[in-house]
Amino acid sequence: MKTTRRQILQGGAAILAFPMPARASATPDEMALWYRQPAAEWTEALPLGNGRLGAMVFGGVTEEHIQINEATLWGGGPRDYVNLQAGASLQELRASIFAGKIDEAERLAANVMGRPSLLHPYQPFCDLRLYFDGQNDAGDYRRSLTLDDATSTVTYRSGGVLFRRDAFVSHPDQAIIVRLTADRPGRHTLSIGLDSPQPGAKTEAIGTDGLHLTGQIPPRQNPDGAWLASWTAPGLRFAAVLQVRIEGGTLEREGERLRVRDADAVTILFSGATGFRNYRDIGANALERAQGYLNAVSGKSFEALRRTHVEDYQALFHRVRISLGPGGPDRTTDVRLKEFKPGTDPALAALYFQFGRYLLISSSRPGGQAANLQGIWNQELMPAWGSKWTTNINLEMNYWLAESGALWETQEPLWDMIDDLQIAGAETARAHYGAGGWVLHHNTDIWRATTPVDGAWGVWPMGSVWLANQMWDHYRFSADKTFLLKRAYPAMKGAVRFVLDTLVEAPPGTRFAGRLVTNPSVSPENQYLLNGKPEHMTYAATMDLELIAELFEAFRKAARIVGTDADLSEDVKRAQNRLPPLQIGKRGQLQEWIEDYAETEPQHRHVSHLWALYPGHSISPRRTPQLAAAAKRSLELRGDGGTGWAKAWKIALWARLGDGDRAYGLFSGLLAESTLPNMFDTCPPFQIDGNFGGAAAIAEMLLQSDDDEIVLLPALPQAWPEGTVEGLRARGGIKVDMRWRERKLIGVTLTGKAHRTVTVRMGRKSATAALAPNIPFHFDGRLRPSKTERR
């Protein structure tokens, strides 16, 4: 195969395009973010990552800045958040809520907070800086992030020379690789340095080709109002190591930096690590770990490193391909976002979807931490909301895309986290509630806090129930019985046990007296008006009832599959029959609380009471039309505004209601109002759940599924009249490829992993497909099987 000059500039690695049908094809330029200027601020920089190391590439000409994170570098240290006195206040708290003395209940809530009552923040790691000589007159500048190979590239001309800078973060090799090339020899003269925003970090040159940066998180008193815990003891140790290779020219140490002169090409290898072993042990040797990663790659050529990186990444990214129509790869991404109007540039929606998948691959890989509020990227010592894991929507939303977007491996860190949370949550369940099983409230950090934190709104013990439901849904997508038996079922059983032990009978004189209800309860972060005053706490908030009802149903199914716990299943069935029903309020809306209260903030960002519509399944227009109509009315009353992630959730909700144009209108708002120049979602500020939720919502507009039914193009908007998608996943482990034109299906292919029969529906048409393992089953646009299928 002939090697082109373009491939030489990329480092000599020739990468072949994957063959695709015409309408689903996407050139690297179509699946790329690109700009005509360097990043002026962090939210313009381009993200790279491998699930452990994250990098934000600014692309400067005279100075390149790459801001780096390591997923286990957090403030604080191992600790037990359990409040051993919390249980003593539980009965009084419940009695106050049942009596309608909510002010008193919210004062008592302080007694059940964890110790401390605030959590610790995710931290920035270090910064790699390259200082270039003699490149002040740059022209023909281009900065890009190619989603097809997860590579950042900067090119420009200076002094008649074409300079190129490539960077990627390899998951197989656990390193950041930066490659500098030019179309003329001897043109690279620069200094290379490492520094850190962490106080006390030290950098030293090692020999003539290496740098070490070492440090330890110092004690910190965070200011009041930061909503972050302080800590009084030194925390995690951390270390970064860097090695420079040159082709031609000279390399020497220059104080705490390295100096390159007149090189033809430069390759920089970087890795880093902390002392984190697990949430109870931070005693590992950070420098030895970091050096071990670097030693493992030091003998590999740039071409070999790049090839391994691309093969690993594309094995995940290439599972799904999408085209939603023509767009503007000839315009820079910031211009496309600024000029976007509803009904224009459908290719930007396809780019947004694939960017979401790219971010999930980059921030969550097996062996690492789950994607947090900012994925893996953070430059602040005191990031918004601690850049931790908020478990009343945001953590769960981060992983909706993993199922429909065929990225199941990215969920491994989430399952690992749940393993930890079951241990910590069992201690909280016992101490705070006198209950078995495990519990999780609305936030956690790397030290696996499971207690209530922040304030009265933190007394929401449903995080474990939501995550258990999410594990069951993974089983529904994957049909992986080993996962069900080994991972999901224990978590589900523990969540069920906690719920059974904490449900209480509503006393006489209360609504639904004699029914089993949750108490205490909140509707996440929202408030209602009681006697003109905003309140959080209640009993039996609608979301609680939805989460519990679906968990109970899922557990009974899972127990039958696993073949155990028949007695517990009967207990669950009896409790399920005693839950209060969902209610429709006086405005026709799905009621959010046990009473039809007025909201303090009618257009609040959370739509927690609509969980049963999405991501849950117990409300649907076909099976529960009255409740679906009430959910629709709730959405209308909430409006189309809100944070980026709130818009993303509403897009999926409207998709479940089958209203593609309303869903698309919200997606247009997500792009126009809640997307930063580098396509990060903004809450504000930056919060990555909107990226993941928005991408998952696009998939929901194109494909919906239940255990035995697949619905094609259920919420296709007028703005996407033609398109192709290959590789979306439906429940049952079914791969779906389809094409449409003029908003009409042309054809669909289903490929399953096992023998099963499914109903396929498109509008009013439906058909049945009898699937066999790994054998494609084809329908035409009228849902007629191909001749092969009819035999």
Side-chain angles (χ1 to χ4, degrees):
M1 180 178 67
K2 183 177 179 181
T3 302
T4 66
R5 182 180 174 193
R6 179 166 179 257
Q7 289 161 350
I8 292 171
L9 283 171
Q10 289 178 325
I15 301 170
L16 298 177
F18 195 91
M20 295 168 54
R23 290 308 306 159
S25 64
T27 68
D29 282 342
E30 289 171 339
M31 283 300 147
L33 286 65
W34 73 282
Y35 307 83
R36 288 294 188 192
Q37 68 285 331
E41 55 189 42
W42 192 84
T43 52
E44 296 177 2
L46 294 173
L48 301 170
N50 67 0
R52 190 180 70 84
L53 296 171
M56 295 291 286
V57 183
F58 282 67
V61 174
T62 59
E63 178 187 342
E64 174 62 281
H65 176 200
I66 301 178
Q67 186 268 319
I68 298 170
N69 289 98
E70 206 277 355
T72 62
L73 190 65
W74 285 67
R79 65 170 303 115
D80 184 356
Y81 284 91
V82 168
N83 175 359
L84 295 176
Q85 283 72 51
S89 296
L90 181 61
Q91 295 308 318
E92 187 180 1
L93 177 61
R94 284 173 169 163
S96 297
I97 291 172
F98 278 137
K101 300 176 181 178
I102 307 303
D103 284 350
E104 180 180 323
E106 299 208 351
R107 285 193 296 272
L108 286 168
N111 297 341
V112 302
M113 291 291 108
R115 298 291 183 263
S117 61
L118 297 171
L119 301 189
H120 296 89
Y122 181 49
Q123 292 292 283
F125 186 57
C126 70
D127 298 87
L128 169 61
R129 301 183 192 274
L130 313 180
Y131 303 93
F132 296 94
D133 290 11
Q135 297 183 16
N136 298 322
D137 60 341
D140 295 333
Y141 180 94
R142 179 185 172 104
R143 175 172 62 101
S144 65
L145 170 63
T146 306
L147 304 186
D148 191 65
D149 58 10
T151 301
S152 164
T153 301
V154 175
T155 59
Y156 54 88
R157 291 188 179 276
S158 179
V161 179
L162 176 61
F163 290 91
R164 182 180 180 113
R165 203 181 302 155
D166 292 291
F168 57 87
V169 186
S170 170
H171 180 256
D173 289 308
Q174 289 297 307
I176 299 173
I177 315 298
V178 181
R179 171 78 168 173
L180 313 178
T181 56
D183 66 352
R184 296 186 189 179
R187 297 301 175 129
H188 285 293
T189 297
L190 67 149
S191 296
I192 302 169
L194 285 175
D195 58 69
S196 174
Q198 299 297 338
K202 297 180 180 179
T203 304
E204 62 176 325
I206 306 298
T208 60
D209 65 349
L211 295 176
H212 283 183
L213 181 146
T214 55
Q216 184 175 18
I217 300 292
R220 187 194 304 168
Q221 183 66 41
N222 285 312
D224 294 339
W227 292 103
L228 301 173
S230 300
W231 56 96
T232 57
L236 280 156
R237 296 185 184 276
F238 58 92
V241 295
L242 176 150
Q243 183 185 66
V244 177
R245 302 175 185 166
I246 60 171
E247 297 165 34
T250 62
L251 175 62
E252 60 187 10
R253 62 190 299 170
E254 187 178 70
E256 296 178 353
R257 296 179 182 174
L258 299 178
R259 182 68 172 169
V260 176
R261 288 186 174 86
D262 304 325
D264 302 336
V266 180
T267 302
I268 301 169
L269 310 177
F270 172 96
S271 197
T274 77
F276 183 89
R277 288 194 179 105
N278 57 58
Y279 73 101
R280 290 176 170 170
D281 182 355
I282 60 171
N285 187 308
L287 183 57
E288 283 185 4
R289 280 182 162 183
Q291 192 63 55
Y293 292 129
L294 197 64
N295 291 344
V297 301
S298 61
K300 299 179 181 180
S301 67
F302 172 79
E303 291 77 12
L305 290 166
R306 177 170 168 76
R307 182 169 57 251
T308 302
H309 158 70
V310 171
E311 289 174 353
D312 168 76
Y313 169 79
Q314 290 183 344
L316 278 67
F317 187 74
H318 278 179
R319 287 176 183 163
V320 178
R321 298 169 186 265
I322 185 171
S323 171
L324 296 174
D330 55 322
R331 291 177 296 147
T332 60
T333 303
D334 50 345
V335 169
R336 292 174 76 181
L337 288 168
K338 189 177 298 184
E339 294 180 350
F340 178 79
K341 297 289 187 295
T344 66
D345 199 357
L348 188 57
L351 180 66
Y352 191 95
F353 174 80
Q354 291 289 48
F355 184 58
R357 294 182 70 246
Y358 165 83
L359 291 174
L360 189 52
I361 296 169
S362 301
S363 62
S364 185
R365 299 293 293 272
Q369 296 295 311
N372 63 46
L373 279 175
Q374 296 184 185
I376 200 174
W377 301 278
N378 167 45
Q379 68 165 344
E380 303 289 347
L381 292 170
M382 294 189 295
W385 304 287
S387 188
K388 51 189 183 291
W389 293 283
T390 300
T391 52
N392 63 18
I393 174 60
N394 314 93
L395 172 62
E396 293 87 353
M397 182 181 282
N398 281 359
Y399 287 94
W400 292 345
L401 180 61
E403 303 292 3
S404 56
L407 295 174
W408 40 86
E409 297 94 335
T410 64
Q411 295 174 100
E412 287 293 326
L414 177 61
W415 311 146
D416 292 342
M417 171 186 273
I418 292 171
D419 288 346
D420 291 346
L421 291 171
Q422 288 178 74
I423 299 170
E427 297 172 6
T428 300
R430 284 191 297 271
H432 285 242
Y433 295 92
W438 66 289
V439 65
L440 172 65
H441 292 80
H442 84 303
N443 267 304
T444 191
D445 57 16
I446 203 167
W447 315 118
R448 302 312 190 230
T450 57
T451 57
V453 293
D454 295 342
W457 59 93
V459 189
W460 179 78
M462 291 289 109
S464 54
V465 179
W466 191 338
L467 289 174
N469 273 310
Q470 195 137 332
M471 296 185 90
W472 171 249
D473 208 32
H474 176 66
Y475 170 72
R476 295 174 71 206
F477 269 97
S478 67
D480 183 344
K481 289 187 178 180
T482 300
F483 171 81
L484 177 64
L485 179 63
K486 300 294 186 183
R487 306 204 78 163
Y489 189 77
M492 294 169 68
K493 182 177 177 180
V496 162
R497 175 50 62 200
F498 173 80
V499 171
L500 290 177
D501 286 354
T502 54
L503 285 173
V504 293
E505 190 173 284
T510 60
R511 185 174 290 274
F512 298 113
R515 296 273 190 163
L516 293 179
V517 297
T518 54
N519 184 358
S521 173
V522 299
S523 189
E525 301 184 35
N526 202 1
Q527 293 176 283
Y528 59 91
L529 290 172
L530 182 64
N531 300 321
K533 183 176 179 181
E535 306 283 10
H536 287 103
M537 303 193 82
T538 183
Y539 68 95
T542 296
M543 187 190 205
D544 291 5
L545 302 177
E546 294 173 340
L547 286 165
I548 290 169
E550 291 210 16
L551 176 63
F552 279 177
E553 189 67 26
F555 176 77
R556 292 170 58 204
K557 292 178 180 178
R560 287 195 295 271
I561 295 167
V562 174
T564 189
D565 291 321
D567 290 343
L568 182 58
S569 290
E570 284 302 310
D571 292 343
V572 166
K573 183 178 180 180
R574 285 190 289 271
Q576 190 173 356
N577 291 335
R578 294 185 63 192
L579 294 173
L582 303 185
Q583 301 177 79
I584 297 175
K586 59 181 175 291
R587 293 168 292 168
Q589 89 284 10
L590 189 66
Q591 206 166 287
E592 187 165 359
W593 293 277
I594 196 72
E595 303 284 354
D596 194 7
Y597 298 119
E599 301 100 329
T600 301
E601 187 182 344
Q603 295 187 332
H604 193 268
R605 60 194 177 276
H606 283 259
V607 284
S608 304
H609 56 310
L610 305 186
W611 184 92
L613 177 61
Y614 182 92
H617 298 271
S618 52
I619 295 177
S620 82
R622 294 182 67 216
R623 288 183 284 102
T624 59
Q626 287 185 315
L627 290 175
K632 178 180 179 181
R633 182 61 181 145
S634 290
L635 274 175
E636 291 169 344
L637 292 169
R638 274 294 202 267
D640 291 350
T643 63
W645 64 260
K647 292 187 181 82
W649 196 354
K650 291 175 187 176
I651 297 165
L653 288 163
W654 281 110
R656 281 280 173 92
L657 291 170
D659 192 335
D661 288 333
R662 188 67 179 264
Y664 176 78
L666 272 155
F667 177 72
S668 297
L670 181 65
L671 282 178
E673 302 161 6
S674 301
T675 301
L676 295 162
N678 64 355
M679 288 190 72
F680 272 169
D681 171 74
T682 179
C683 185
F686 162 52
Q687 201 168 291
I688 205 166
D689 40 22
N691 288 105
F692 296 141
I698 290 172
E700 202 69 19
M701 294 167 74
L702 301 177
L703 177 72
Q704 293 176 22
S705 63
D706 216 323
D707 289 330
D708 299 309
E709 183 180 72
I710 294 173
V711 185
L712 307 176
L713 306 178
L716 185 68
Q718 300 286 337
W720 301 339
E722 62 178 280
T724 302
V725 65
E726 301 172 10
L728 286 183
R729 285 325 195 260
R731 288 170 180 84
I734 299 169
K735 176 176 176 283
V736 180
D737 307 332
M738 59 181 164
R739 294 181 63 189
W740 65 96
R741 185 182 303 124
E742 297 178 354
R743 303 187 72 247
K744 296 179 180 178
L745 184 70
I746 295 174
V748 60
T749 299
L750 310 179
T751 308
K753 300 195 299 183
H755 289 283
R756 67 183 300 144
T757 299
V758 296
T759 298
V760 181
R761 187 160 57 85
M762 168 72 187
R764 296 182 178 180
K765 297 186 179 74
S766 64
T768 300
L771 302 180
N774 303 313
I775 298 176
F777 190 105
H778 307 283
F779 285 112
D780 68 12
R782 297 183 181 181
L783 294 187
R784 297 176 301 191
S786 70
K787 292 180 180 179
T788 302
E789 314 302 345
R790 289 197 290 262
R791 289 174 186 167

